[in-house]
Amino acid sequence: MFDSNEALLARVEELQKELEESKQYIATLEKAKRELEQKIRSLSEPSGEPIPITEIEETLKRFVRKTAEILYAEKCVFMLFDKESGELVATKPAYGLTDEEIKAFRVRATQGVSGEVFRTGKPIIIHDALNDERTYKDNVALLHVRNGVCVPLISEKRDEEGRVIESTTIGVLHVFNQRYGNIFTEEDVRLLQRYAKNATAVILNAQIYREFVAEKEDLEHIIESVYAGLLMVNKDGRITQMNASARSMFGAQGKDVLGKMYYEVIDEPKVKDILVQCLTENTEIASEISLRLDESERIYQVQTALVKGEEQQPIGVVAIFNDITEIRNVERMKTAFVSTVSHELRTPLTSIKGFISTLLMDEEGYYDRDTQREFYTIIDTECDRLTRLISDLLNVSRIEAGRALELNLKPVNLPNLIEKVVTVQKSYTNKHTFKIELDDLPEITADEDKVDQILTNLTNNAIKYSPKGGQITITGTSKDGMVTISVADQGMGIPKDHLPKVFERFHRVDNRDTREVGGTGIGLYLVKHLVEAHGGKIWVESELGKGSTFTFTLPITPPSEEEEETKEKEAVA
Ligand code: ADP
């Protein structure tokens, strides 16, 4: 093969130099691999700073360039197996290929030289790509391939004695087109195989790294958007996580809090105490704290947990803050409700009992028939009051249990009903005047008893909450298939911050004026449900000290009835 001994010696020297260079190169790759592994490990720790992906890209970029240089090739590219598509796909970075070429370079794992090398795990040398029947011609044309070497990228797992226990082919590595018109040799194959072995580890690590970074980002997005406040500090007390809720709880919106000591960011003494205790005693704490936020008091349930490292050593503390203000409010309202309901039940009962005892004791017939009749009327009214209260309570529990209020739909003459309700309510007061202003209201389809309950409740509230008297005005209009009824009083009004809440169950405005007035806080809650069960809406406008106007709408025909009517009409047509 060689003309002379000198030529042979020169070639041997050249080869030795190449070998030396390769060895150094492999050592660099191995170092890069070790560094990557180290960085990936550090990522799993909460304080781990992600290394920029560009660093790994750089390592691989150097790899493809160096490989091409050492093998005197024009191009070097690796293809990875994509399980989902079953294809071998060229992956960046590559040497000597444009971005478009990399994107277009893919082949089914059953096709071409790439497919064969991937399946058999054996390298292939191509001397004449165009005429070699194993090559996939589209790609030969795409990359202008004349010749090349393709080796598998095999990932091997070894046991402690260095025996291979698992081996997976993750893709293939190509070099194309010998420069200077030379051909690729078996020696090139061996060299490329050695490079491929080291490159596989780097590529795998890069893949794991990318997945890690993506997972970490996903996790950060989840943590950031959870409703509960989340705070994480490492064992030195530095903040490693603080989501949006926690930042707003501690007034740290828009501030760069990561890496700061927790006491530089959080002023709240109770929270600081909890963190100190967790960090110094390695304990987990469940507690309740209240914080003043935007002028209002919020109650939080705090639960801490120790964050442990790989060897179960504590590496920090995570604290979760759950806003339980609403739960506590409902609990408080429920307690208040039980006492008001007992009171509301006892008042009519005391009166009933009183009048009955009086009548029973009157053996001599001291009271004349008219007086007796008056007593019986009072007893009758108080029994009605009790019945109403009990039926309200039953309805609340029905709504709470998620059962719909059943409607007994019939034609209802609203002007007559309003007249009737006002007549009854008038008898309870001599301080108020009543004014009814109705347009020509159409007959509506509704549950008469329930509309009666709505009107009675609103008119009764209008009387109750204007203890100094005044005018109560009931207006009614009709438009676009809906009737709109308002009940306006000139009473104490409702403070602005209570306006959105008066329709909530058990909600009562608690101040000096309202305390004198009996009530359970379920009237408007029921009214709202009754209106909505008909397909209507209810709202309130009010000015403190001047009066309130409650307005509700009802459809002339409830939605479900309307649907049935259209269906009937369609059937007839
Ligand atoms: P209650 O049994 O307490 O009257 P409601 O559900 O009917 O319960 O009303 C809830 C709260 O809304 C009342 O406690 C009262 O504070 C307020 N409220 C209702 N109607 C009026 C009104 N016309 N004027 C002023 N406040 C009212």
Side-chain angles (χ1 to χ4, degrees):
M1 243 217 256
F2 293 97
D3 301 342
S4 65
N5 265 352
E6 273 131 64
L8 179 65
L9 275 176
R11 179 69 185 130
V12 168
E13 220 168 80
E14 203 178 293
L15 276 176
Q16 262 170 350
K17 227 172 97 196
E18 267 178 25
L19 193 67
E20 200 45 46
E21 218 175 287
S22 295
K23 269 188 192 156
Q24 271 176 17
Y25 179 53
I26 286 168
T28 331
L29 271 179
E30 268 171 355
K31 190 163 153 259
K33 177 188 140 197
R34 274 196 305 278
E35 276 172 12
L36 263 174
E37 278 170 351
Q38 172 78 31
K39 278 173 177 158
I40 286 170
R41 255 199 308 281
S42 73
L43 260 184
S44 57
E45 286 172 17
S47 56
E49 275 292 307
I51 41 160
I53 191 81
T54 48
E55 211 169 295
I56 303 174
E57 302 279 342
E58 279 308 314
T59 307
L60 286 171
K61 225 187 230 170
R62 275 201 306 276
F63 166 75
V64 283
R65 198 190 62 230
K66 266 277 187 190
T67 307
E69 267 171 26
I70 291 171
L71 292 162
Y72 301 120
E74 285 173 10
K75 301 168 201 272
C76 176
V77 53
F78 54 86
M79 301 179 95
L80 297 181
F81 180 59
D82 177 25
K83 277 196 206 99
E84 268 165 43
S85 65
E87 284 179 319
L88 287 158
V89 183
T91 308
K92 267 180 157 181
Y95 177 78
L97 275 77
T98 63
D99 282 357
E100 278 71 41
E101 284 171 340
I102 299 174
K103 228 183 240 163
F105 187 30
R106 50 173 61 217
V107 69
R108 298 211 61 74
T110 47
Q111 287 176 316
V113 170
S114 318
E116 195 173 325
V117 172
F118 177 73
R119 285 194 317 278
T120 59
K122 299 216 165 61
I124 289 181
I125 306 183
I126 299 288
H127 293 297
D128 180 3
L130 213 51
N131 295 312
D132 194 313
E133 57 187 26
R134 293 170 298 180
T135 57
Y136 182 62
K137 298 300 175 291
D138 285 359
N139 284 336
V140 169
L142 172 77
L143 302 179
H144 309 288
V145 178
R146 296 191 304 275
N147 47 33
V149 180
C150 179
V151 297
L153 292 167
I154 300 172
S155 150
E156 287 177 344
K157 258 197 205 146
R158 290 170 188 273
D159 65 7
E160 277 154 19
E161 277 132 44
R163 281 184 302 235
V164 177
I165 47 168
E166 203 185 304
S167 145
T168 329
T169 309
I170 61 160
V172 296
L173 175 66
H174 285 282
V175 286
F176 294 129
N177 298 355
Q178 256 283 351
R179 287 176 198 270
Y180 323 120
N182 283 345
I183 53 159
F184 287 113
T185 61
E186 284 300 329
E187 201 182 310
D188 292 329
V189 173
R190 275 193 296 279
L191 208 56
L192 197 58
Q193 268 179 311
R194 283 195 69 181
Y195 291 167
K197 204 163 144 193
N198 288 282
T200 308
V202 178
I203 292 165
L204 268 182
N205 281 344
Q207 254 178 349
I208 296 171
Y209 178 82
R210 279 197 198 99
E211 280 163 20
F212 241 95
V213 170
E215 250 172 53
K216 200 172 154 102
E217 276 172 5
D218 276 357
L219 202 67
E220 264 160 21
H221 287 145
I222 294 170
I223 289 175
E224 185 63 12
S225 49
V226 286
Y227 179 67
L230 185 141
L231 170 72
M232 207 154 127
V233 297
N234 67 11
K235 61 180 187 315
D236 307 326
R238 289 199 185 277
I239 297 175
T240 55
Q241 281 285 1
M242 191 171 186
N243 73 353
S245 291
R247 288 198 302 278
S248 86
M249 276 173 64
F250 298 112
Q253 294 103 317
K255 285 190 200 154
D256 195 7
V257 293
L258 295 188
K260 293 227 170 82
M261 297 304 287
Y262 68 86
Y263 47 76
E264 293 176 278
V265 177
I266 297 164
D267 286 332
E268 202 50 47
K270 280 184 226 150
V271 178
K272 286 198 266 193
D273 287 350
I274 291 175
L275 289 174
V276 169
Q277 202 182 336
C278 293
L279 288 168
T280 50
E281 297 168 22
N282 281 339
T283 46
E284 301 190 337
I285 295 177
S287 166
E288 240 178 72
I289 57 162
S290 61
L291 297 178
R292 276 207 83 74
L293 284 186
D294 309 328
E295 300 299 301
S296 71
E297 181 110 349
R298 311 286 311 169
I299 306 165
Y300 291 93
Q301 193 175 47
V302 192
Q303 174 72 56
T304 70
L306 294 174
V307 184
K308 294 191 176 137
E310 255 170 60
E311 270 105 48
Q312 295 301 304
Q313 79 286 14
I315 54 171
V317 171
V318 60
I320 310 274
F321 301 84
N322 262 319
D323 188 338
I324 52 162
T325 318
E326 293 312 318
I327 300 173
R328 285 284 176 276
N329 277 349
V330 171
E331 280 169 9
R332 210 175 298 144
M333 285 193 293
K334 263 191 176 156
T335 317
F337 172 74
V338 171
S339 77
T340 42
V341 164
S342 323
H343 175 76
E344 290 288 304
L345 287 172
R346 196 172 304 129
T347 316
L349 267 182
T350 314
S351 150
I352 292 167
K353 171 109 179 107
F355 283 106
I356 290 181
S357 305
T358 310
L359 288 167
L360 275 177
M361 278 191 297
D362 183 31
E363 283 168 9
E364 263 105 78
Y366 174 76
Y367 296 112
D368 60 25
R369 271 201 74 81
D370 278 355
T371 316
Q372 281 184 8
R373 206 183 148 68
E374 197 186 319
F375 289 176
Y376 284 128
T377 314
I378 294 172
I379 292 169
D380 187 49
T381 317
E382 292 299 294
C383 280
D384 284 350
R385 200 168 135 192
L386 272 182
T387 316
R388 245 195 339 264
L389 190 59
I390 289 165
S391 107
D392 276 1
L393 290 173
L394 287 175
N395 276 331
V396 169
S397 72
R398 197 168 289 158
I399 296 169
E400 302 268 281
R403 275 185 287 154
L405 294 165
E406 274 166 34
L407 296 184
N408 180 12
L409 295 174
K410 272 196 289 226
V412 176
N413 181 319
L414 269 176
N416 285 355
L417 186 62
I418 293 171
E419 193 66 48
K420 191 187 109 192
V421 169
V422 168
T423 309
V424 174
Q425 292 299 316
K426 247 184 196 164
S427 65
Y428 297 134
T429 170
N430 48 22
K431 286 190 199 158
H432 298 83
T433 55
F434 289 82
K435 195 168 157 199
I436 302 177
E437 288 177 344
L438 304 180
D439 284 359
D440 191 12
L441 294 184
E443 194 175 66
I444 65 165
T445 305
D447 184 322
E448 181 151 1
D449 283 348
K450 300 215 159 64
V451 180
D452 183 331
Q453 199 181 340
I454 297 168
L455 287 165
T456 300
N457 223 303
L458 294 180
T459 318
N460 192 253
N461 275 353
I463 298 171
K464 272 197 325 192
Y465 297 103
S466 48
K468 293 191 189 117
Q471 180 167 285
I472 292 167
T473 314
I474 299 172
T475 46
T477 55
S478 152
K479 201 180 160 194
D480 300 334
M482 297 292 255
V483 291
T484 306
I485 312 284
S486 291
V487 181
D489 63 55
Q490 299 174 326
M492 58 180 78
I494 301 166
K496 256 204 171 64
D497 53 328
H498 284 270
L499 276 179
K501 297 189 188 154
V502 288
F503 297 104
E504 288 172 14
R505 67 201 162 144
F506 317 138
H507 191 89
R508 306 199 67 218
V509 179
D510 188 18
N511 58 30
R512 199 158 20 101
D513 295 331
T514 55
R515 233 163 282 151
E516 313 272 301
V517 186
T520 52
I522 54 173
L524 287 180
Y525 172 74
L526 280 177
V527 165
K528 184 172 192 277
H529 276 85
L530 293 173
V531 170
E532 286 172 357
H534 281 89
K537 284 200 177 71
I538 183 162
W539 63 95
V540 56
E541 288 146 300
S542 183
E543 203 174 326
L544 207 57
K546 295 229 165 117
S548 314
T549 304
F550 284 84
T551 309
F552 66 93
T553 60
L554 290 176
I556 293 172
T557 319
S560 54
E561 286 267 309
E562 220 166 43
E563 274 165 32
E564 267 162 41
E565 268 177 29
T566 356
K567 262 189 227 152
E568 269 168 34
K569 272 186 206 147
E570 276 168 6
V572 173

